[in-house]
Amino acid sequence: MNVDTISDFLADQRDNTPDELQGLVLEFETLWERKLWHELTNQLIEFFNDPGSAPQRLQFYKVFVLKFADKINQLKLVDLALKAATQCKDNQERLAFMQSVATRVDKENSQDAHVFALIAVARVKLDLEDLPSARKDLDKAEAILDKFDSVETIVHSSFYHAQADYYQAKQDFGAYYKNALLYLACIDVKNVPYEERRIRAHDLAIAALVSTSIYNFGELLLHPILDALKEKGEDKWLRDLVFAFNKGDLVQYDLLANQIKAHPLLAAHSRQLREKIYLAALTEAVFRRPPHDRAMSFDTIASETKVRPEEIEHLIMKALSLGLLRGTIDQVDEVAHINWVQPKVLDMTQIENMRARLKEWDSSVEQLGNWIEKVGQDVWAA
């Protein structure tokens, strides 16, 4: 396509462009003629980012952008392609389009862009529910990513986003939880629309609760994404439930029993949730005690966790096997000797309990110091 044809194309597109974007389209021709590829790319990104450009993006990409595609930053080329792909008529067309983009940027000096495009291909396959093929693309992208010393944040965020969606589709809740948090670590949550934040917070909370590998919710509790669940009253119960599990609050758990039963996924894992809250209650009971007073009888544990006496030994063994506690069990005397409990994020009540314990420890140290000074006067004098 020669300069005159490009001019005709831009003139034709300008006539169909919203008034507020016509200035940008006029500038495209000037930058094209002057071969200012970097500036032209940035202007195109600005144009593609505007919702008003949506009907024209695909045509702009195929007719205009591809004429100088090899001269611009390949990562930005893929970014433009992704925005253009939103205008494909269906997922099959979108898949073919993004596969062609991935092939175009599969060069030695643009592997970051190739990864970015591969991830986009995998995401379309997820939409098409072709999970095995999506997994192959994600594995290939991960293998390339592992070779980089550094890469643009947008590539990592898109990878973890796609990984999270894949594991959510597979109902691998532990892997979803890990990758979703890694994705959130790559972005500014404040820039995410509220509804998207709310859905992500909901999915993370559910994954944390039903996963068989997550017993410490600290990372989620400290993340601002969870605040999205308190902006609407109908979501607040889920946030309260996560906090109840963090501190083993059996009373709060029972108060939320109706909401748990009404949620299909939580209801399906009700037995597992009950065991999990018992484990949380056990670790909280141990945590509240000072280190020198952690020899707990089975009766004491049953009283504090509401677990039936005949199930106490199994509960303690489960906590030990999961690494939530360390210690030994005296089966004859029915006593658990605990010497370590997994650290956890504390709420204000738990912090106040720790403060009281520290004050008690400080007082004990002071009393011991006074006693040593009193009985050892002759020794100190000598």
Side-chain angles (χ1 to χ4, degrees), residues 80 91 112 123 141 159 170 212 239 243 258 272 302 331-332 356:
L80 289 168
N91 281 328
D112 55 344
R123 291 193 64 82
F159 174 72
K170 294 284 287 184
T212 56
R239 185 176 184 274
F243 276 90
N258 289 335
Q272 177 187 320
Q331 293 174 311
V332 177

Side-chain angles (χ1 to χ4, degrees), residues 86-222:
T86 61
Q87 302 309 302
C88 293
K89 66 178 183 292
D90 56 33
N91 281 328
Q92 289 295 347
E93 182 185 344
R94 188 173 297 112
L95 178 61
F97 176 71
M98 288 312 305
Q99 284 175 329
S100 69
V101 174
T103 301
R104 169 179 282 277
V105 296
D106 187 8
K107 301 170 186 173
E108 186 177 351
N109 61 349
S110 59
Q111 284 298 289
D112 55 344
H114 180 53
V115 168
F116 198 23
L118 269 179
I119 295 165
V121 169
R123 291 193 64 82
V124 181
K125 289 178 180 178
L126 288 175
D127 291 338
L128 290 167
E129 298 183 358
D130 184 359
L131 300 187
S133 187
R135 183 68 263 162
K136 289 179 183 178
D137 288 328
L138 289 172
D139 286 343
K140 184 177 179 181
E142 186 173 24
I144 299 171
L145 277 173
D146 287 343
K147 297 176 183 177
F148 291 143
D149 293 328
S150 63
V151 69
E152 293 286 342
T153 304
I154 191 174
V155 179
H156 266 139
S157 67
S158 64
F159 174 72
Y160 291 129
H161 194 178
Q163 282 268 87
D165 288 350
Y166 170 81
Y167 286 119
Q168 187 173 35
K170 294 284 287 184
Q171 291 202 333
D172 185 336
F173 300 108
Y176 165 77
Y177 181 85
K178 172 187 174 183
N179 283 278
L181 284 175
L182 285 169
Y183 162 65
L184 292 174
C186 295
I187 64 172
D188 187 345
V189 176
K190 292 182 290 186
N191 295 332
V192 178
Y194 164 71
E195 188 59 23
E196 187 179 333
R197 280 187 286 121
R198 187 190 71 79
I199 292 171
R200 182 67 70 185
H202 172 277
D203 292 346
L204 274 167
I206 296 299
L209 291 167
V210 303
S211 169
T212 56
S213 61
I214 300 170
Y215 291 87
N216 189 329
F217 304 160
E219 197 170 357
L220 177 59
L221 295 176
L222 291 173

Side-chain angles (χ1 to χ4, degrees), residues 4-24:
D4 289 338
T5 310
I6 286 290
S7 298
D8 292 341
F9 170 77
L10 292 175
D12 181 59
Q13 290 298 314
R14 189 168 64 250
D15 292 339
N16 298 309
T17 301
D19 292 345
E20 64 273 16
L21 295 176
Q22 288 188 5
L24 278 173

